Amino acid sequence: MSLREGRLIYEGKAKRVYLISNDELIMEFKDEVTALDGARKEHAPGKGKLTASQTAFFMDYLTKSGIRTHFINWDGDRRIHVRRLRMIPVEVIVRNYAYGSFIRRMPLVKPLTRFTAPLVEFHLKNDELHDPLILPEDIIEAELASMEQIMEVKSVALKVNQLLSKLLSNHGLILVDFKLEFGVNGNGALVLADELSGDTMRILMNGKHLDKELFRMGGSVKELVEAYSTLNSILGLSL
């Protein structure tokens, strides 16, 4: 499959986005890894293809499971073909276990305590402010989304969590938490967007991270790429 490059319209820490038509984009995954809001950044050969393949795998699985996603196809390398959306600048985090920023704000809960029910958090997508936790009322007052959209986002996020948790559990893996982003298409429908990979998910195998937390904790780029390759192998993704 050959995907036209198009015009570069955005470059972030981990991806480049190219416009190929009014309705379609190419997301190119970079061989870069960052942590601590970009304070640590290194070249990671092979990582882009691994995260692209993971995103394609999870998005395709969710699409076939009835979740509306922006995914169209994958070029077999570092690029995926997606539908263009009007993005909602809110990051949605679903937590199954106590970890990360949850522990920092709620130290009374022991790390990796499993919640009685999954938690759904909203964070403003803003690197300069370090993606602060916000309330649904904040989203409404800032006119980022309506209450109806917020409720739908939460419902879809929980459904995605159910699907991914079961999928990973079937492979002996634990889904600790993950980040989602959503957009709205030309018909006003809510659509799951961005990526799903070791960069945006915390996944444990026998207590070991197969995700970017490994790098955040001081692991090397080589260890990170090996962990992502292990995840792909467990999921049956051939590169």
Side-chain angles (χ1 to χ4, degrees):
M1 170 174 47
S2 176
L3 301 179
R4 290 181 293 140
E5 183 171 291
R7 175 170 60 87
L8 180 67
I9 59 172
Y10 169 81
E11 181 166 359
K13 292 176 287 188
K15 294 186 291 294
R16 299 182 185 92
V17 179
Y18 298 89
L19 178 69
I20 58 172
S21 75
N22 288 335
D23 302 315
E24 298 177 4
L25 304 170
I26 295 296
M27 287 173 50
E28 180 183 66
F29 292 73
K30 298 161 67 174
D31 284 341
E32 304 284 345
V33 58
T34 65
L36 307 173
D37 288 329
R40 185 185 180 196
K41 179 179 179 179
E42 294 188 38
H43 183 58
K47 174 180 172 289
K49 186 173 183 179
L50 289 165
T51 50
S53 65
Q54 291 166 9
T55 296
F57 172 78
F58 287 123
M59 286 289 183
D60 183 60
Y61 170 74
L62 292 173
T63 299
K64 291 175 179 176
S65 299
I67 302 295
R68 188 184 297 114
T69 80
H70 71 159
F71 178 72
I72 298 175
N73 53 39
W74 171 48
D75 75 343
D77 194 4
R78 295 191 297 125
R79 296 179 173 186
I80 64 171
H81 185 190
V82 300
R83 296 174 182 84
R84 189 183 187 188
L85 307 170
R86 177 177 62 80
M87 296 300 294
I88 299 172
V90 173
E91 294 183 346
V92 181
I93 298 179
V94 182
R95 300 185 185 277
N96 296 306
Y97 295 81
Y99 204 94
S101 62
F102 176 87
I103 296 296
R104 291 193 291 275
R105 74 169 188 265
M106 182 48 69
L108 300 179
V109 180
K110 293 181 180 179
L112 288 178
T113 297
R114 184 168 185 170
F115 296 125
T116 54
L119 302 185
V120 179
E121 299 175 357
F122 301 100
H123 292 251
L124 180 65
K125 188 174 173 62
N126 187 307
D127 287 342
E128 293 182 1
L129 297 177
H130 307 292
D131 304 324
L133 179 69
I134 56 177
L135 302 173
E137 291 82 0
D138 299 330
I139 298 172
I140 294 169
E141 289 299 327
E143 299 182 346
L144 302 180
S146 67
M147 178 56 79
E148 290 76 15
Q149 287 174 322
I150 293 170
M151 296 304 293
E152 185 179 359
V153 162
K154 184 173 181 179
S155 176
V156 173
L158 289 171
K159 179 63 175 178
V160 168
N161 181 54
Q162 182 183 45
L163 290 166
L164 293 181
S165 293
K166 182 177 180 181
L167 172 67
L168 293 171
S169 177
N170 288 341
H171 291 279
L173 304 172
I174 294 175
L175 180 59
V176 176
D177 56 32
F178 60 98
K179 175 180 72 71
L180 300 175
E181 294 188 30
F182 291 86
V184 178
N185 65 20
N187 296 321
L190 191 75
V191 181
L192 178 63
D194 198 48
E195 69 174 292
L196 280 168
S197 73
D199 276 9
T200 62
M201 309 165 75
R202 286 191 179 103
I203 300 171
L204 294 178
M205 179 186 68
N206 299 324
K208 179 182 178 181
H209 282 277
L210 299 180
D211 56 72
K212 197 167 78 168
E213 190 69 13
L214 189 67
F215 185 74
R216 294 188 190 100
M217 295 187 300
S220 68
V221 165
K222 181 181 178 181
E223 289 173 316
L224 179 73
V225 172
E226 287 176 351
Y228 283 20
S229 296
T230 297
L231 177 59
N232 277 34
S233 177
I234 291 171
L235 296 175
L237 306 182
S238 58
L239 296 180

